Amino acid sequence: AGAGWPAPSAPPAPACDAASGLSDASTASSRADQMQYYMKDLKLDRPTAALMYKAERMQEKGQLPQALYYYGKVLEAQPGCQEAAAGIRAAGSMLDCRQRR
């Protein structure tokens, strides 16, 4: 490989601009709609739904350590929440990518 080119065996870097892992509720028109989604579809109680809302907003704003904290709180309250687990993976990947720059 020439200067400035990665070695052929280097794994591809994760997509740094991808906001994957966010729920469909991220495009909802209001906080109330999102809270309803978390409670009805994800079966979260109101306090846990509020944590999920906060986690997704932090991730959207690029405040990744805070997003990871809130996703972790959701998983403490609801260990089987796949949406929060996906959020942790996405925010962690974004943070890792940011730290490589």
Side-chain angles (χ1 to χ4, degrees):
W5 292 92
S9 62
C16 294
D17 58 349
S20 61
L22 297 179
S23 72
D24 292 336
S26 296
T27 58
S29 61
S30 73
R31 182 178 192 275
D33 291 340
Q34 292 170 328
M35 292 294 289
Q36 184 67 26
Y37 169 78
Y38 302 139
M39 291 186 293
K40 182 179 178 208
D41 294 352
L42 301 183
K43 312 258 188 279
L44 301 178
D45 59 23
R46 185 170 292 280
T48 307
L51 291 170
M52 187 69 179
Y53 178 84
K54 186 78 167 172
E56 289 192 348
R57 299 301 70 77
M58 294 292 101
Q59 185 172 347
E60 287 176 355
K61 292 178 180 180
Q63 297 174 354
L64 303 174
Q66 296 90 333
L68 290 168
Y69 171 81
Y70 287 112
Y71 284 130
K73 289 294 186 184
V74 171
L75 286 176
E76 284 178 19
Q78 196 82 11
C81 182
Q82 294 301 309
E83 195 94 5
I88 284 178
R89 287 189 302 273
S93 177
M94 293 166 73
L95 186 60
D96 182 52
C97 195
R98 184 184 287 174
Q99 291 172 345
R100 289 183 194 187
R101 291 182 182 172

